[in-house]
């Protein structure tokens, strides 16, 4: 056996200690043409820390001549991982070195670079197994110690025609990628409550929240303030990749504003002994802490998810299509309510992408996301007009989900670079139509360079889709941490101001009827008032709400658009950088001739005075720690920013329901209002209130671990706000980008 150490800059092999006689070396053939390279990826030592918890989730990539030939599995939360994975590669010549890269996996985010090294094949002894230690380095920071990798390498000359072997090797590699992305089941977790937690704050309470982790998937619960017996009642799903199950790591934390959160304990769940299609209840004592955590865990079979080539897909097969349509027919509306439908996404190609590399090219790959389901294509190297020709199939749990397709540039030594993105609500999809979508920026507010060609088809059950609208919306596992943004704060304030001004204008209009500013209007209003009051019945309330829906439907059908506010929001989002970044000031008109400020700025002044009052209080010299005060100010600003966004979003969603922004939801509202009208008309109110009260009082008795929800708020959460309407709106595509015309590929 031989031992050698290679760094990323390619050291000379002189001075290598060889165990055994050098006469045993086998002379290589003069020109063998092909070589078989057998590699065993053993382990890593002292790898770089990339996660907040002081660990990493490392995996390894092998590349030859710029092409990825192997990717290891991910080892979670380990700086000294043991892989023991073997791979056999066929290489054409020895000039190109084996390029080894290590990354930290971050689900839903760009993976972090952990170091790289080169293995120079020309210097390897033939037909003998060599123990190799690679020193990982970052070319940008060569002085950093990023740890080492241990490999066992055997290089053997081969003879004959190896095209068939190459094809089988490539197929095995594609299977590895497919299995690394596809999941074999779903783990549904209901976080119910905790008992007798440890007090971490000076007031004798804690502000607990829970973190879950299964492999690379992470979830964080909401924070329950000032309690030792919190009740969360949250439900979420993880994907199960390993047939033997795995472990769910659970930690409980106390939220502290302005400083590091306090650790309150940990526990774990072994999924391997759990039976499928059955709900398991766990009362888990917290290790390294106090108290008990109550959970419900359910394992179900794999969803309809797949990756295939363009020539093989389920909806193009007549028999498969018929079976899927039968599966989601109206007759099966109440069978497995969570299985709403299926969506098939054909990622064809992209054109005119941005050049992300210094060579004027890019190495693009495409990521397709639907809620927490995430799949990706292979990488096309050195190409601005890549063709992927892949078909992705997802199970649909919520018809109001948004399909996100993002194009990245794979980078050798860094995280992938963003090239463009599109967001397409499932209800906006035109089945079977191959379309060119203009790529947008990360925020989805403006265009970026390039288009992507997609063909999407969705099949779903409308009854299931309507019923699932009335349950809580699935939250994403990984979401960006909220940050203070002056632009976003002012944007949210302006949105709230518009909602309040609408209410003020409506109040002024009603008041004008009493003031007789318009005789005709006041007479009509008086007659309507007398008529309604004299004949008023309770069932008229939902009936009245149907009137604006019907009126707007007639206007839209006649070609009149009632949604000018969305266009105003689009202009605001496009121009906000120019408006707010020039002098870091917001231009605003001065007072009127009578010395009064415009009504549109009264709330802004109130917010500013309130905000500065908070700053004055937080900077009180009696308070300890200047940094803590800054953090506290930041938390206050984030809270104000989020509160303004929530208030504005609900106002815009109510308006967009009546404006038919999403016709499916407007029709659903009409059905609900009609049902309410009929029920109130035929059933006395006391019986309806009695049934509602009995249900509320007995819910805990019937199911102690039920997750409470508000159906009206769940419905509104599916209606897009004005900001989301702009983000989901398609940009115009240059006519030269035709779905049927292909640009010539330009590999470098």
């Amino acid at each position: 056996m031989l031992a050698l150490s290679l760094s990323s800059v390619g050291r000379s092999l002189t001075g290598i200690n060889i165990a055994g006689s050098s006469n045993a070396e086998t002379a290589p053939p003069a020109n063998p043409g092909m070589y078989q390279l057998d590699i065993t990826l053993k382990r890593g030592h002292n790898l770089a820390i990339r996660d907040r918890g002081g660990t990493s989730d490392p995996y390894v990539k092998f590349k030859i001549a710029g092409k990825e030939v192997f990717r290891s599995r991910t080892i979670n939360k380990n700086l000294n991982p043991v892989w023991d994975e073997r791979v056999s590669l066929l290489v054409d010549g020895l000039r190109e070195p084996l390029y080894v890269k290590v990354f930290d996996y971050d689900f839903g985010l760009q993976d972090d670079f952990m170091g790289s090294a080169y293995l120079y094949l020309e210097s390897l002894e033939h037909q003998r197994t060599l123990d190799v230690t690679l020193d990982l380095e970052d070319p940008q920071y060569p002085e950093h110690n990023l740890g080492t990798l241990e490999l066992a390498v055997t290089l053997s000359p081969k003879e004959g025609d190896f095209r068939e072997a190459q094809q089988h090797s490539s197929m095995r590699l594609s299977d590895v990628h497919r299995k690394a992305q596809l999941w074999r089941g779903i783990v549904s977790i209901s976080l119910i409550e905790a008992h007798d937690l440890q007090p971490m704050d000076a007031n004798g309470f804690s502000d607990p929240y829970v973190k879950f982790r299964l492999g690379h998937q992470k979830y964080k619960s909401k924070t329950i303030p000032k309690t030792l017996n919190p009740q969360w009642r949250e439900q979420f799903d993880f994907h199960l990749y390993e047939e033997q199950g795995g472990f769910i790591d659970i930690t409980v934390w106390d939220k502290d504003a302005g400083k590091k959160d306090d650790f309150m304990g940990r526990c774990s769940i072994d999924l391997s002994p759990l039976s499928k299609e059955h709900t398991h209840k766990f009362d888990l004592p917290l290790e390294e802490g106090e108290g008990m955590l109550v959970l419900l865990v359910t394992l179900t079979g794999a969803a309809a998810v797949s990756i295939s080539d363009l020539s093989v897909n389920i909806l193009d097969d007549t028999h498969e299509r018929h079976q899927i349509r039968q599966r989601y027919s109206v007759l099966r509306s109440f069978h497995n309510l969570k299985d709403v439908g299926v969506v098939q996404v054909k990622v064809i190609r992209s054109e005119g992408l941005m050049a992300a590399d210094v060579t004027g090219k890019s190495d693009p790959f495409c990521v397709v996301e639907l809620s927490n389901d995430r799949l990706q294509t292979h990488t096309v190297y050195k190409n601005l007009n890549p063709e992927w020709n892949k078909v992705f199939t997802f199970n649909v749990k919520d018809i109001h989900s948004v399909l996100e397709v993002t194009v990245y540039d794979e980078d050798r030594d860094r995280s992938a670079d963003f090239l463009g993105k599109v967001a397409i609500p499932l209800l906006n999809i035109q089945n079977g139509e191959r379309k060119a979508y203009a790529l947008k920026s990360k925020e989805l507010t403006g265009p970026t360079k390039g288009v992507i060609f997609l063909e999407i088809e969705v099949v779903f059950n409308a009854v299931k889709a309507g019923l699932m609208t009335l349950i809580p919306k699935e939250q994403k596992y990984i979401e960006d941490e909220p940050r203070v943004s002056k632009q976003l704060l002012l944007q949210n304030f302006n949105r709230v101001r518009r909602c309040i001004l609408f209410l003020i204008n409506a109040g002024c209009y009603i008041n004008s009827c009493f003031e007789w500013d318009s005789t005709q209007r006041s007479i009509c209003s008086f007659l309507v008032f007398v008529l309604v009051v004299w004949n008023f019945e309770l069932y008229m309330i939902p009936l009245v709400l149907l009137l604006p829906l019907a009126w707007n439907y007639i206007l839209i059908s006649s070609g009149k658009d009632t949604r000018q506010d969305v266009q105003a929001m689009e202009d605001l989002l496009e121009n906000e950088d120019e408006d707010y970044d020039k002098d870091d000031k917001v231009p605003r008109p001065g007072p009127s001739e009578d010395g009064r400020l415009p009504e549109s700025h009264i709330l802004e002044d109130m917010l500013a005075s309130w905000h500065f009052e908070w700053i004055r209080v937080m900077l009180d010299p009696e308070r300890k720690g200047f940094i803590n005060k800054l953090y506290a100010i930041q938390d206050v600003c984030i809270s104000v920013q989020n509160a303004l966004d929530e208030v504005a979003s609900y106002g815009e969603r109510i308006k967009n329901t009546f404006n038919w922004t999403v016709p499916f939801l407007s029709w659903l509202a009409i059905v609900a209002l009609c049902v309410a009208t009929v029920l109130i008309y035929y059933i006395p109110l006391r019986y309806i209130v009695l049934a509602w009260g009995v249900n509320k009082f007995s819910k805990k008795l019937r199911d102690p671990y039920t997750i409470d929800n508000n159906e009206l708020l769940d419905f509104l959460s599916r209606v897009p706000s004005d900001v989301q309407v702009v983000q989901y709106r398609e940009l115009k595509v240059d006519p030269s980008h035709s779905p049927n015309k292909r640009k010539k590929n330009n590999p470098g």
Side-chain angles (χ1 to χ4, degrees):
M1 301 290 287
L2 300 179
L4 57 93
S5 177
L6 299 177
S7 72
S8 60
V9 294
R11 297 174 183 165
S12 171
L13 295 180
T14 58
I16 296 178
N17 296 323
I18 302 176
S21 172
S22 61
N23 296 332
E25 180 176 351
T26 304
N31 185 18
M34 299 293 294
Y35 295 85
Q36 179 172 322
L37 182 63
D38 298 312
I39 305 174
T40 300
L41 174 61
K42 293 183 175 180
R43 61 180 63 88
H45 289 290
N46 300 324
L47 299 185
I49 296 173
R50 290 294 183 262
D51 291 340
R52 292 182 179 179
T55 61
S56 294
D57 306 317
Y59 67 90
V60 181
K61 284 184 179 182
F62 293 163
K63 285 188 174 184
I64 295 179
K67 290 188 176 181
E68 182 180 325
V69 293
F70 171 76
R71 173 172 172 166
S72 74
R73 71 181 191 275
T74 301
I75 305 295
N76 298 302
K77 299 169 65 174
N78 203 325
L79 300 181
N80 298 285
V82 177
W83 284 282
D84 281 333
E85 294 189 44
R86 295 171 177 82
V87 61
S88 294
L89 306 173
L90 293 172
V91 295
D92 185 7
L94 304 179
R95 291 186 178 181
E96 293 288 344
L98 178 73
Y99 186 40
V100 182
K101 296 197 294 183
V102 185
F103 289 93
D104 167 59
Y105 191 93
D106 287 323
F107 178 74
L109 305 173
Q110 295 183 1
D111 298 342
D112 298 320
F113 178 67
M114 296 179 63
S116 63
Y118 286 97
L119 177 61
Y120 290 89
L121 306 182
E122 293 177 331
S123 304
L124 298 179
E125 184 180 356
H126 294 184
Q127 296 181 341
R128 298 195 66 180
T129 301
L130 311 176
D131 285 335
V132 179
T133 301
L134 298 176
D135 296 327
L136 299 174
E137 293 185 1
D138 187 341
Q140 296 184 356
Y141 305 98
E143 69 279 1
H144 290 182
N145 180 16
L146 301 181
T148 59
L149 288 181
E150 290 187 10
L151 313 174
V153 184
T154 305
L155 182 66
S156 305
K158 305 293 285 184
E159 297 179 356
D161 186 4
F162 293 97
R163 292 181 181 177
E164 184 177 351
Q166 279 182 304
Q167 291 176 356
H168 285 300
S169 175
S170 176
M171 289 175 63
R172 286 195 297 271
L173 180 61
S174 65
D175 286 341
V176 168
H177 286 295
R178 181 175 58 83
K179 291 178 181 178
Q181 295 188 73
L182 302 185
W183 45 94
R184 302 170 182 239
I186 302 293
V187 184
S188 296
I189 300 175
S190 296
L191 172 61
I192 306 300
E193 58 194 7
H195 301 294
D196 305 320
L197 296 181
Q198 182 179 357
M200 306 300 292
D201 297 336
N203 58 10
F205 294 102
S206 296
D207 306 314
Y209 66 89
V210 184
K211 288 182 177 180
F212 294 85
R213 180 169 186 145
L214 176 61
H216 58 263
Q217 303 167 88
K218 303 173 185 177
Y219 182 83
K220 178 181 175 182
S221 76
K222 62 186 177 185
T223 301
I224 308 296
K226 297 181 181 179
T227 181
L228 300 180
N229 299 286
Q231 293 195 2
W232 287 280
R233 298 293 198 270
E234 294 185 50
Q235 192 274 334
F236 56 93
D237 296 338
F238 279 152
H239 296 144
L240 191 62
Y241 291 89
E242 302 294 335
E243 288 186 353
Q244 62 270 26
F247 284 87
I248 299 177
D249 296 319
I250 306 168
T251 53
V252 183
W253 299 83
D254 169 56
K255 179 70 175 178
D256 285 324
K259 59 181 181 179
K260 187 176 180 181
D261 295 345
D262 298 321
F263 176 75
M264 298 181 65
R266 71 172 69 247
C267 55
S268 63
I269 299 175
D270 184 3
L271 299 177
S272 54
L274 302 184
S275 58
K276 289 188 175 181
E277 311 300 339
H278 179 72
T279 299
H280 306 267
K281 179 176 177 290
F282 290 91
D283 296 304
L284 302 172
L286 294 178
E287 303 173 6
E288 305 176 39
E290 300 176 6
M292 187 87 66
L293 205 60
V294 181
L295 303 169
L296 301 178
V297 178
T298 306
L299 272 65
T300 58
V305 58
S306 66
I307 305 175
S308 63
D309 291 327
L310 199 59
S311 58
V312 183
N313 61 86
I314 58 173
L315 291 180
D316 284 354
D317 183 271
T318 306
H319 179 67
E320 290 279 358
R321 176 184 285 271
H322 177 71
Q323 283 190 330
I324 289 175
R325 292 199 176 277
Q326 288 289 331
R327 178 179 171 186
Y328 299 110
S329 66
V330 178
L331 298 177
R332 295 175 61 86
S333 295
F334 298 98
H335 176 75
N336 190 6
L337 290 178
K338 289 188 176 181
D339 186 16
V340 173
V342 63
V343 59
Q344 178 179 274
V345 185
K346 295 181 182 179
V347 182
I348 312 298
R349 67 185 189 276
S350 196
E351 291 181 0
L353 293 179
M354 182 170 32
D357 298 337
V358 294
T359 59
K361 307 292 182 184
S362 291
D363 303 321
F365 66 94
C366 187
V367 176
V368 183
E369 296 176 84
L370 183 67
S371 297
N372 288 306
D373 299 343
R374 182 178 188 264
L375 300 173
Q376 70 181 58
T377 68
H378 59 283
T379 302
V380 179
Y381 294 95
K382 298 181 180 178
N383 204 316
L384 299 182
N385 303 304
E387 292 191 16
W388 293 289
N389 292 322
K390 291 294 180 183
V391 181
F392 301 94
T393 305
F394 294 95
N395 192 60
V396 177
K397 294 178 284 186
D398 186 353
I399 196 60
H400 310 288
S401 299
V402 178
L403 182 73
E404 296 183 357
V405 183
T406 312
V407 183
Y408 293 99
D409 167 66
E410 182 180 313
D411 214 313
R412 299 186 66 176
D413 301 317
R414 298 190 305 275
S415 299
D417 296 324
F418 176 86
L419 295 180
K421 180 178 183 179
V422 293
I424 310 166
L426 295 184
L427 287 172
N428 289 0
I429 290 172
Q430 299 175 359
N431 279 346
E433 180 182 359
R434 183 170 296 188
K435 291 183 63 176
Y437 294 88
L439 294 175
K440 294 185 176 183
S441 61
K442 278 186 180 180
E443 297 78 17
L444 295 170
T445 55
T448 187
K449 193 175 180 183
V451 298
I452 187 167
F453 292 88
L454 305 173
E455 184 178 324
I456 313 172
E457 188 163 358
V458 60
V459 179
F460 69 96
N461 182 293
V463 177
K464 290 183 181 180
L467 293 175
M468 294 300 289
T469 304
L470 305 179
I471 68 170
K473 188 177 181 180
E474 181 182 7
Q475 300 297 319
K476 280 206 169 186
Y477 301 144
I478 302 297
E479 293 185 326
D480 294 336
E481 290 291 330
R483 295 184 299 174
V484 179
S485 167
K486 176 184 174 182
Q487 297 176 15
L488 189 57
L489 188 65
L490 289 173
Q491 173 190 308
N492 291 344
F493 172 77
N494 286 328
R495 293 167 61 201
V496 172
R497 184 182 62 191
R498 286 167 53 198
C499 295
I500 294 177
L501 288 177
F502 171 80
L503 296 177
I504 293 174
N505 291 333
C508 291
Y509 182 86
I510 295 173
N511 188 62
S512 69
C513 297
F514 300 117
E515 298 293 334
W516 292 85
D517 294 336
S518 170
T519 305
Q520 183 180 1
R521 183 197 308 165
S522 297
I523 292 175
C524 292
S525 302
F526 177 72
L527 293 177
V528 170
F529 170 75
V530 172
L531 189 64
V532 170
V533 171
W534 186 258
N535 298 281
F536 178 77
E537 296 289 346
L538 196 61
Y539 70 86
M540 293 182 180
I541 295 178
L543 199 59
V544 167
L545 294 176
L546 286 170
L547 295 179
L549 280 164
W551 177 252
N552 284 327
Y553 180 79
I554 294 171
L555 289 179
I556 293 172
S557 300
S558 62
K560 295 180 181 179
D561 194 354
T562 61
R563 295 166 283 191
Q564 295 88 354
D565 289 345
V566 176
Q567 183 62 45
M569 176 61 66
E570 186 172 6
D571 296 338
L572 175 63
L573 292 175
E574 288 179 354
N575 299 325
E576 63 179 2
D577 291 340
E578 299 177 5
D579 292 340
Y580 300 139
D581 288 343
K582 289 180 180 178
D583 302 316
D584 199 29
K585 294 180 180 179
V586 182
R588 50 182 278 175
S592 59
E593 294 180 359
D594 59 359
R596 294 167 50 190
L597 284 173
E599 289 183 5
S600 60
H601 298 301
I602 295 176
L603 290 175
E604 187 172 345
D605 289 337
M606 291 172 60
L607 176 63
S609 62
W610 180 87
H611 177 65
F612 285 119
E613 178 65 17
W614 264 102
I615 294 177
R616 186 188 65 78
V617 172
M618 290 299 176
L619 295 180
D620 191 327
E622 295 181 359
R623 292 181 177 267
K624 59 180 183 179
F626 181 72
I627 297 299
N628 289 348
K629 295 167 187 172
L630 291 180
Y631 275 116
I633 294 172
Q634 177 176 308
D635 289 341
V636 170
C637 292
I638 290 175
S639 299
V640 173
Q641 181 174 289
N642 293 341
L644 291 173
D645 175 64
E646 189 169 356
V647 171
S649 294
Y650 276 119
E652 293 166 354
R653 285 167 177 162
I654 293 172
K655 177 202 67 177
N656 290 336
T657 301
F658 289 98
N659 276 354
W660 292 81
T661 301
V662 182
F664 181 90
L665 290 171
S666 297
W667 281 117
L668 188 61
I670 287 177
V671 171
L673 291 172
C674 289
V675 170
T677 301
V678 172
L679 288 177
I680 297 174
Y681 183 81
Y682 286 104
I683 302 176
L685 179 62
R686 65 172 66 90
Y687 293 153
I688 297 175
V689 175
L690 184 63
W692 174 84
V694 170
N695 175 65
K696 282 292 184 182
F697 278 103
S698 62
K699 185 179 289 187
K700 278 282 187 177
L701 299 177
R702 288 183 281 113
D703 185 0
Y705 304 115
T706 185
I707 296 176
D708 295 327
N709 70 301
N710 184 303
E711 289 79 5
L712 178 59
L713 295 182
D714 292 333
F715 171 86
L716 288 176
S717 70
R718 272 36 178 238
V719 183
S721 65
D722 286 352
V723 173
Q724 291 171 323
V725 170
V726 173
Q727 291 174 337
Y728 304 155
R729 180 169 291 180
E730 293 181 26
L731 300 178
K732 292 183 179 180
V733 178
D734 192 313
S736 62
H737 296 292
S738 171
N740 301 318
K741 295 181 180 179
R742 298 188 179 184
K743 287 195 174 184
K744 185 178 179 181
N745 291 337
N746 54 351

